Amino acid sequence: MHLAMKSLGFKENEKFVRKRMKKLNLICEIRQKKVKYQHSDSNIKGNCKNLLNQNFYPDKPNRYYSVDITYLPSKQGTVYLNVIIDLYGKIPVAYLSSYSCNSKLAEDTVNLLVQKRKNIKNAIIHSDQGVTYLSKNYIKKLSELKAIRSNSKKGYPFDNACSENFFSIFKIEKFYRLGYTPQNKEEIDEIVEEYIDFYINQRISLSLGGLTPQKYYDKYIEKKKRLTKKVS
């Protein structure tokens, strides 16, 4: 709240804001305790390793991605939402939903990522070891794009904490607040689209220095342009 007020031009300090919130009975809906992550063995059964190894802070965009699927109930059946997050700025770049949790959903989301980022060669795409991400078609898709596949160790959700955290925030701040079950996938798509637009462009984050994901990303682009001008 203090950061949000500061971004709007208010000069009250954090202590004052905390007191006013207490007086007005305003509480933060999400209060997550900081967890000391368990580092898993980077070796994973099969042909893939945990290359990310809980390094969630790349030095530039389009380098590390986290992908995961969550399920959302609708009156016409369970909807599976697949989201690929650029770990630079924690931006949900590509996201699609389906009534079926299969490799096609994962592949189509990667195709959407390529449409937006053009080239993902040598980018690390990290996921858990769900059947969807271990399918031959999905693995082949990443190989064709020359992207690097990385998987969490089984039973270690912390290895994909950024995706887990995003879904948790989305459900608490948006989905659980609906107070009703959406009619179908199309309605869920609208809800997801609206929230992600808010998440990227309006929701500030302490881990991003009080910036929104988009402003954090834009800051990198501006810095890169300045450096390019100096060189030229």
Side-chain angles (χ1 to χ4, degrees), residues 9 36 43 66 74 77 84 94 106 123 163 183 190 199 216:
K36 186 177 181 180
N43 294 316
S66 173
S74 81
I84 301 177
S163 286
Q183 187 66 35
E190 291 178 3
Y199 182 89
Y216 189 82

Side-chain angles (χ1 to χ4, degrees), residues 111-160:
N111 288 335
L112 183 58
L113 173 64
V114 174
Q115 288 178 26
K116 294 188 175 183
R117 289 295 168 88
K118 307 306 178 186
N119 184 7
I120 59 170
K121 181 180 178 180
N122 295 327
I124 294 178
I125 312 292
H126 185 87
S127 69
D128 59 25
Q129 290 197 63
V131 176
T132 303
Y133 303 118
L134 296 181
S135 69
K136 290 182 180 179
N137 289 339
Y138 177 74
I139 293 173
K140 182 181 178 182
K141 168 65 69 176
L142 294 186
S143 178
E144 290 173 344
L145 294 168
K146 293 181 171 54
I148 303 170
R149 187 168 60 94
S150 173
N151 288 122
S152 304
K153 184 178 178 180
K154 284 187 177 179
Y156 282 78
F158 293 132
D159 284 349
N160 206 20

Side-chain angles (χ1 to χ4, degrees), residues 48-222:
C48 190
K49 294 182 178 181
N50 181 358
L51 301 177
L52 204 58
N53 203 26
Q54 295 182 16
N55 176 9
F56 304 132
Y57 300 96
D59 57 0
K60 60 182 178 181
N62 200 31
R63 187 176 180 190
Y64 299 159
Y65 290 95
S66 173
V67 57
D68 203 0
I69 291 176
T70 193
Y71 65 90
L72 304 167
S74 81
K75 291 181 179 179
Q76 291 189 9
T78 299
V79 174
Y80 298 92
L81 175 65
N82 190 50
V83 179
I84 301 177
I85 298 173
D86 188 334
L87 295 185
Y88 189 88
K90 310 300 184 290
I91 296 180
V93 181
Y95 43 93
L96 288 175
S97 68
S98 173
Y99 286 118
S100 300
C101 184
N102 52 31
S103 64
K104 186 178 185 306
L105 174 61
E107 293 165 53
D108 288 346
T109 312
V110 170
N111 288 335
L112 183 58
L113 173 64
V114 174
Q115 288 178 26
K116 294 188 175 183
R117 289 295 168 88
K118 307 306 178 186
N119 184 7
I120 59 170
K121 181 180 178 180
N122 295 327
I124 294 178
I125 312 292
H126 185 87
S127 69
D128 59 25
Q129 290 197 63
V131 176
T132 303
Y133 303 118
L134 296 181
S135 69
K136 290 182 180 179
N137 289 339
Y138 177 74
I139 293 173
K140 182 181 178 182
K141 168 65 69 176
L142 294 186
S143 178
E144 290 173 344
L145 294 168
K146 293 181 171 54
I148 303 170
R149 187 168 60 94
S150 173
N151 288 122
S152 304
K153 184 178 178 180
K154 284 187 177 179
Y156 282 78
F158 293 132
D159 284 349
N160 206 20
C162 292
S163 286
E164 299 277 353
N165 186 56
F166 171 75
F167 286 140
S168 175
I169 291 173
F170 162 66
K171 289 177 180 178
I172 292 173
E173 290 187 352
K174 184 66 177 181
F175 201 77
Y176 295 155
R177 284 185 173 188
L178 294 175
Y180 67 91
T181 301
Q183 187 66 35
N184 49 35
K185 187 183 89 68
E186 288 70 27
E187 185 175 355
I188 285 181
D189 286 344
E190 291 178 3
I191 292 167
V192 170
E193 186 69 36
E194 180 183 6
Y195 180 77
I196 288 183
D197 179 71
F198 161 77
Y199 182 89
I200 293 174
N201 296 299
Q202 298 183 50
R203 190 182 189 278
I204 60 175
S205 172
L206 286 173
S207 66
L208 301 179
L211 300 176
T212 65
Q214 188 61 54
K215 286 184 178 179
Y216 189 82
Y217 177 84
D218 291 343
K219 188 177 179 181
Y220 170 85
I221 298 300
E222 290 171 7

